[in-house]
Amino acid sequence: MNISCSGNKERSSGTSLAVNCYGIGIFATNMPKEMNFEPRDVFQKLEFDKVLDLLEKEALTPMAAAELQALNPSTSFSQIDLWLREIREYKLCLEKNDRFPIETYADLRPDLRMLDIPGYTLQAEAFQRIVRILLLMRDIFKFFTGVKKEIYPRLYDIVRTMSFDEGLIRAIHAVFDEKGEIRPDASPELMRIRREMQHKVRELDHRFRQIIQEYRSKGWLSDTPESFRNGRRVLSAPAEHKRKIRGIIHDESDTGRTVFIEPEGVIEINNDIFDLESEERREIFRILRDLSEQIRPYSPMLRQYLDTLIRFDVIQAKARLALAMRAGMPVLKEKPQIGIRKGYHPLLYLKNKGLGRKTVPFELRLNAENHILVLSGPNAGGKSVAMKSVGLMQLMVQSGLLVPVHELSEFGIFEQIFADIGDQQSLDDDLSTYSSRLQNARVFLAKANPRTLVLVDEMGSGTDPKPGGAIAEAILRALYRKGVFAVVTTHYSNLKVFAFRNPGILNGNMHFDKDTLSPTYELKIGRPGSSYAFEIAGKSGLSKDIIDYARNRTGSETAVDDLLIELQREKQELEERLQSVQEKEQSLERLIKTYDSLHQDLEIKRKRLKLDQKEFELRQSANTGREVEKLIRQLKEEKNLERVQQVAQTLRQERADKARQVDDINAEVVKLEEKAVPAAAARPLQPGDFVRLRAGGATGRIESIKGGKAVITMGALKVTAAMRDLLPVAEPTQMAASATSTDIQQAAAFDAKIDIRGMSKEEALRVLEKFVDNALLSNSSLLRILHGKGDGVLRKVVRHKLKEYGGNISSIYHPEQEQGGEGVTIVELA
């Protein structure tokens, strides 16, 4: 068993202990960089704390609730990707009504800390908590039998390296019954003690009834003749008769009128029962002590089981919230970018869903070319909601939460999120609203970099519009030059003009229905929005004279706004047309390359087929060697040496001709392959190039090269191959990529164990070949082949087959006898 989990979750700023959000500590030297937030209340500004509250309600236990409340976004691509895939699989489990066996359980950590103390004996209640954990883990292991491990591979990976032993459950159940009570047969000594106790209780019962009858006939007892005092069965008698009854007075009533006497005739029996009860307690303590000693070595395993249950609890809480908000897993990218399709503000969607209202989705794309959005439009039109949606969903994704977007949406990874939202004036710090905004801007500019997402609401507001707008433009210009990603909302025309003039900054607006003078909450990218101040003022009931006067006072500024909107519209139309033409040209170029590549591939395959036929004929001629040798021996016996030489010469000539044909066709294949490679083949292969295996495998991209070997990405899979076995190819089309997706998925779900017992030799060879090929494709390192002992035929078949793989196999051996011995072959791949 691989024990790698720690106990409690700890927050660490060092580099030696990394602790993930599931409370499982992992020693590492390269921890992902922590996210930076400015100001510190970004979670509250973007309402991420409300999402955490919703998650906490979905948790089954306080331990998982604490983990969820302490959730922090990550900057590690691999960690975030794993989180998202786990949640997606559990959400699928909920959608398919596949009941995952996770239920409430108790916190075992205090018990395990005590168990770590040598000689400490756990109480009976602790064993009930332990057996609850064991039963849940047993059910989880059973859940992943059969096809479930292929349907939910990421969830199965959580327990893949663990094992489960029913012995612990049997040991606890041998001591405790279903109600959690000590079983009468927990030990032979306990059985004896309880048998004697039953006998003594019956004897006490019989004797007590006799005494009661005797004293009642004499009128010495109260109406309620018996009771219990100090754990003893006693008689209840009026105080005036206490001298008449021989025995021990244990107590008297508050009034002093009644005394409680243990009669002399049962004292010895009561003493025997008391002694037996003491023996019972000592025996139970001994049983619990022995059971504690039996379980103590498994403390790390129990701690790992508890951490695993907490992890599944966290996953199920995230999945249930995702199901409630119809969230999906977006495409995750390592570099910062935002590509939202049909996105909803998560909290607004849940609120409107509860009220039966429709939530309007939005679309937004920010990348290295266009990394800032200036969002304008009327008040109450949804600008702030759209901006906060971007920040909130980014926090959720980097915290391993699914978000309510189309699954083709793309989210990159940011290292910093800065947000200037709402009124931040402070009496303590003597800051006005505008001063606090300027202070935020100073911090943003000092710390921002290209991996920063900046969100500013009502940029430049809070002071005189002219200097405020100029300062806002200067700040926007500085952020633009730093390459940050940003979404800012504004009413200032100069910011809209600045966005129009600078490539890389997009104008956007929240659509407003001019006819009804009401917002539609639709985000439109490409043109700025108007505040519609005069129209809204007219709808609110202000007189026409007031509105006309205001129009005259701002006439030139309004004209600039309208002209800017028109210019932006024309520019957007031209850009869309140009982009359409470019996409069509690129598509045509790809089709031409694909046609040429398919034609060359077809010619290579035709030559390969011919080569295979000739090689087969050559092998067949070798296989007929025995018959020829037999003929030659026969001719020698007949002393027909001339005939012998003639037959041998003919045989050598035939084999030489076939070998020459094989070499010629092989040379043609190599020449065609060299001709088929792209122009990039003139230089050495390097990361980023597309290649395929010389033997004819799936196409992939080189991720890295080290020591004559390359790591190749094929879809969701990474394969290592020698550089000499690779041929450069042109970039494949999307259609070619999708055609291999099924094989890649099958390889990803590869099981490194196989059982060939009972198979024929031919069937075993066929199954082994496919098994080892899939192992090489899935980059597995250790294989386990179960063939049984028997007469050793299958073991020899395995050995013989594995020799065909040569350098791909580093070692072959049998495990220890208790792990299968010669009935199992272990294979370590190079």
Side-chain angles (χ1 to χ4, degrees):
M1 177 175 294
N2 182 15
I3 305 294
S4 59
C5 299
S6 71
N8 298 333
K9 176 177 179 178
E10 301 173 16
R11 290 192 175 274
S12 172
S13 58
T15 58
S16 61
L17 177 63
V19 184
N20 70 15
C21 74
Y22 302 123
I24 301 174
I26 305 166
F27 286 93
T29 54
N30 297 317
M31 286 174 58
K33 184 178 179 181
E34 288 186 2
M35 282 197 78
N36 183 32
F37 303 102
E38 292 292 345
R40 307 311 299 174
D41 62 350
V42 167
F43 281 15
Q44 288 74 35
K45 295 294 184 185
L46 297 177
E47 299 181 289
F48 185 61
D49 58 326
K50 295 182 179 179
V51 174
L52 297 181
D53 290 341
L54 292 174
L55 283 171
E56 184 181 3
K57 293 178 182 177
E58 296 292 348
L60 295 173
T61 64
M63 294 85 76
E67 298 289 342
L68 290 166
Q69 274 296 345
L71 198 60
N72 268 326
S74 172
T75 58
S76 167
F77 176 87
S78 58
Q79 181 65 83
I80 297 169
D81 184 64
L82 176 62
W83 286 345
L84 294 175
R85 292 181 185 278
E86 288 173 347
I87 311 308
R88 183 176 65 178
E89 288 183 4
Y90 201 101
K91 178 171 170 274
L92 175 64
C93 184
L94 294 174
E95 291 170 341
K96 289 165 59 80
N97 288 322
D98 258 351
R99 182 188 167 276
F100 191 86
I102 179 76
E103 298 174 3
T104 56
Y105 51 93
D107 190 355
L108 211 59
R109 288 172 293 197
D111 298 323
L112 295 178
R113 282 195 294 270
M114 301 309 295
L115 191 62
D116 289 339
I117 301 173
Y120 184 84
T121 300
L122 293 177
Q123 299 298 313
E125 295 77 9
F127 290 105
Q128 300 311 304
R129 292 189 284 269
I130 289 174
V131 80
R132 174 68 172 167
I133 298 290
L134 292 171
L135 290 173
L136 284 175
M137 285 303 300
R138 182 186 66 181
D139 292 343
I140 288 173
F141 279 105
K142 287 181 179 178
F143 178 83
F144 286 114
T145 55
V147 74
K148 295 286 180 64
K149 65 179 69 172
E150 298 174 8
I151 299 176
Y152 311 113
R154 296 298 182 277
L155 295 179
Y156 176 58
D157 284 344
I158 297 173
V159 298
R160 184 188 296 273
T161 59
M162 300 182 197
S163 61
F164 188 79
D165 186 359
E166 290 272 359
L168 283 180
I169 295 178
R170 288 195 296 269
I172 295 175
H173 281 169
V175 174
F176 295 93
D177 60 19
E178 295 177 356
K179 296 180 180 180
E181 303 291 336
I182 301 290
R183 299 173 64 93
D185 57 350
S187 75
E189 179 64 13
L190 185 62
M191 284 182 66
R192 180 194 67 77
I193 292 170
R194 289 190 171 177
R195 225 176 4 248
E196 289 187 16
M197 283 179 64
Q198 290 172 358
H199 173 72
K200 288 294 181 182
V201 168
R202 286 195 297 269
E203 184 181 347
L204 175 65
D205 229 18
H206 176 71
R207 183 70 184 121
F208 219 84
R209 281 197 300 270
Q210 288 179 340
I211 293 172
I212 287 175
Q213 287 177 358
E214 178 185 349
Y215 291 159
R216 180 178 279 166
S217 64
K218 296 178 179 180
W220 294 351
L221 300 180
S222 303
D223 294 337
T224 305
E226 62 177 299
S227 183
F228 277 89
R229 288 294 186 274
N230 301 325
R232 299 278 190 147
R233 195 170 178 180
V234 296
L235 295 173
S236 175
E240 60 268 22
H241 298 307
K242 65 180 180 181
R243 302 291 181 186
K244 301 174 183 177
I245 301 174
R246 296 180 63 82
I248 299 172
I249 298 176
H250 281 271
D251 198 4
E252 64 180 20
S253 65
D254 294 337
T255 61
R257 294 179 179 179
T258 304
V259 293
F260 300 97
I261 304 169
E262 180 181 8
E264 186 179 51
V266 298
I267 290 176
E268 187 176 348
I269 301 175
N270 271 334
N271 287 339
D272 291 342
I273 292 175
F274 181 81
D275 290 341
L276 288 170
E277 287 174 346
S278 298
E279 287 184 44
E280 181 187 39
R281 285 192 295 272
R282 287 194 296 271
E283 179 62 15
I284 288 175
F285 179 80
R286 186 196 64 78
I287 292 170
L288 296 181
R289 184 188 61 203
D290 291 348
L291 187 57
S292 298
E293 290 299 324
Q294 187 176 352
I295 289 179
R296 200 180 312 280
Y298 296 95
S299 178
M301 183 191 74
L302 293 172
R303 191 169 280 114
Q304 185 185 31
Y305 283 175
L306 178 64
D307 288 337
T308 301
L309 288 176
I310 294 174
R311 182 171 179 179
F312 278 124
D313 197 352
V314 169
I315 290 171
Q316 70 85 26
K318 289 182 176 182
R320 289 185 186 280
L321 183 61
L323 199 62
M325 61 176 60
R326 291 178 59 194
M329 177 179 169
V331 178
L332 191 64
K333 300 290 185 179
E334 292 196 49
K335 293 183 179 179
Q337 67 178 72
I338 296 172
I340 299 174
R341 298 187 183 185
K342 295 183 179 178
Y344 299 88
H345 188 290
L347 298 175
L348 181 62
Y349 175 81
L350 289 175
K351 178 183 176 182
N352 288 341
K353 179 183 175 183
L355 298 173
R357 297 176 185 169
K358 179 184 177 183
T359 306
V360 180
F362 71 95
E363 303 207 0
L364 171 63
R365 183 166 187 82
L366 297 178
N367 49 37
E369 290 76 29
N370 297 305
H371 52 93
I372 295 179
L373 172 66
V374 175
L375 191 55
S376 52
N379 288 324
K383 299 190 303 296
S384 298
V385 171
M387 178 199 62
K388 291 167 90 173
S389 297
V390 174
L392 178 58
M393 285 196 281
Q394 189 66 46
L395 284 175
M396 290 176 66
V397 168
Q398 291 192 226
S399 299
L401 293 169
L402 304 184
V403 286
V405 296
H406 190 280
E407 292 195 351
L408 291 179
S409 300
E410 297 177 344
F411 282 83
I413 297 176
F414 291 89
E415 293 178 354
Q416 304 186 109
I417 295 182
F418 300 162
D420 186 356
I421 299 171
D423 186 359
Q424 299 179 52
Q425 65 178 331
S426 171
L427 295 177
D428 294 336
D429 298 329
D430 196 23
L431 289 176
S432 66
T433 299
Y434 189 64
S435 296
S436 68
R437 285 184 173 276
L438 292 179
Q439 185 151 316
N440 282 338
R442 179 184 61 79
V443 174
F444 293 0
L445 292 174
K447 297 184 177 181
N449 59 42
R451 300 188 75 92
T452 304
L453 175 62
V454 177
L455 307 168
V456 182
D457 194 22
E458 302 294 351
M459 192 172 197
S461 65
T463 189
D464 188 295
K466 285 192 176 180
I471 293 174
E473 183 177 330
I475 293 171
L476 182 60
R477 174 172 170 268
L479 291 172
Y480 169 64
R481 289 186 171 184
K482 280 181 169 287
V484 304
F485 285 70
V487 179
V488 301
T489 68
T490 187
H491 289 286
Y492 290 165
S493 297
N494 65 310
L495 296 185
K496 305 174 193 176
V497 173
F498 183 81
F500 175 75
R501 290 176 175 172
N502 289 274
I505 305 181
L506 298 172
N507 266 309
N509 73 90
M510 302 306 296
H511 186 255
F512 194 77
D513 192 329
K514 295 180 183 178
D515 298 328
T516 62
L517 294 179
S518 59
T520 64
Y521 305 107
E522 295 179 25
L523 175 60
K524 301 287 186 181
I525 302 296
R527 64 185 74 175
S530 170
S531 63
Y532 293 99
F534 299 123
E535 291 82 354
I536 295 174
K539 185 181 179 182
S540 69
L542 282 178
S543 68
K544 186 174 181 298
D545 292 342
I546 293 176
I547 295 173
D548 289 343
Y549 179 83
R551 280 185 186 277
N552 290 332
R553 293 293 297 168
T554 60
S556 60
E557 293 182 12
T558 306
V560 169
D561 238 14
D562 294 340
L563 179 61
L564 178 63
I565 293 172
E566 184 61 26
L567 286 173
Q568 189 80 52
R569 183 187 62 79
E570 292 178 359
K571 178 185 176 184
Q572 183 182 1
E573 289 177 356
L574 288 174
E575 287 177 346
E576 288 175 353
R577 290 181 184 177
L578 179 60
Q579 183 179 0
S580 176
V581 171
Q582 289 174 343
E583 287 176 354
K584 289 178 181 177
E585 287 181 352
Q586 292 172 357
S587 178
L588 179 61
E589 185 178 349
R590 284 196 300 270
L591 285 173
I592 292 172
K593 287 182 179 179
T594 301
Y595 172 78
D596 291 341
S597 176
L598 290 174
H599 178 73
Q600 290 168 344
D601 285 347
L602 182 62
E603 184 65 19
I604 291 172
K605 288 178 180 177
R606 190 177 67 80
K607 291 290 185 182
R608 279 189 173 281
L609 180 60
K610 188 174 181 182
L611 176 64
D612 291 342
Q613 290 174 341
K614 291 299 180 182
E615 287 179 340
F616 177 75
E617 292 176 4
L618 186 61
R619 287 194 298 271
Q620 287 295 106
S621 66
N623 292 335
T624 58
R626 293 180 182 176
E627 297 179 9
V628 174
E629 289 175 5
K630 183 178 178 181
L631 176 61
I632 290 175
R633 282 197 302 272
Q634 183 179 351
L635 291 173
K636 282 182 178 180
E637 289 173 0
E638 296 175 0
K639 298 184 179 180
N640 191 346
L641 296 179
E642 183 178 349
R643 177 63 176 157
V644 168
Q645 293 173 353
Q646 183 179 356
V647 170
Q649 179 64 28
T650 302
L651 179 62
R652 283 195 296 270
Q653 186 64 40
E654 287 179 357
R655 295 193 65 183
D657 290 344
K658 286 185 173 64
R660 186 172 60 255
Q661 290 174 4
V662 168
D663 291 340
D664 292 344
I665 296 172
N666 193 39
E668 291 180 23
V669 171
V670 172
K671 191 178 294 183
L672 282 171
E673 286 178 337
E674 292 174 350
K675 183 180 177 182
V677 301
R683 56 172 172 75
L685 291 173
Q686 59 187 27
D689 290 344
F690 284 89
V691 294
R692 70 173 174 83
L693 295 175
R694 187 178 293 275
T699 299
R701 184 198 294 267
I702 295 179
E703 290 294 323
S704 61
I705 299 175
K706 185 177 181 181
K709 290 190 176 183
V711 177
I712 309 158
T713 299
M714 296 179 176
L717 198 67
K718 289 190 178 181
V719 178
T720 302
M723 293 290 291
R724 64 177 180 273
D725 295 331
L726 301 178
L727 286 173
V729 296
E731 181 176 354
T733 60
Q734 184 66 29
M735 182 170 58
S738 63
T740 61
S741 63
T742 302
D743 293 337
I744 291 171
Q745 290 169 0
Q746 290 174 352
F750 175 72
D751 188 354
K753 296 179 289 187
I754 190 173
D755 186 351
I756 61 171
R757 291 177 297 180
M759 295 185 184
S760 65
K761 180 179 178 181
E762 292 74 17
E763 185 181 6
L765 284 169
R766 187 173 65 256
V767 170
L768 273 173
E769 182 174 351
K770 185 176 180 181
F771 174 67
V772 180
D773 288 348
N774 286 338
L776 293 171
L777 184 61
S778 64
N779 216 15
S780 295
S781 59
L782 190 70
L783 308 181
R784 183 182 178 89
I785 303 172
L786 178 60
H787 45 67
K789 297 179 181 178
D791 53 9
V793 173
L794 286 180
R795 183 172 66 252
K796 294 176 183 177
V797 167
V798 170
R799 288 273 181 174
H800 176 74
K801 187 64 182 177
L802 292 175
K803 287 180 182 178
E804 298 178 7
Y805 289 88
N808 289 314
I809 294 177
S810 60
S811 67
I812 304 170
Y813 59 89
H814 297 299
E816 298 295 333
Q817 193 63 36
E818 60 268 16
Q819 296 180 357
E822 294 186 354
V824 176
T825 295
I826 304 297
V827 184
E828 292 183 1
L829 300 179

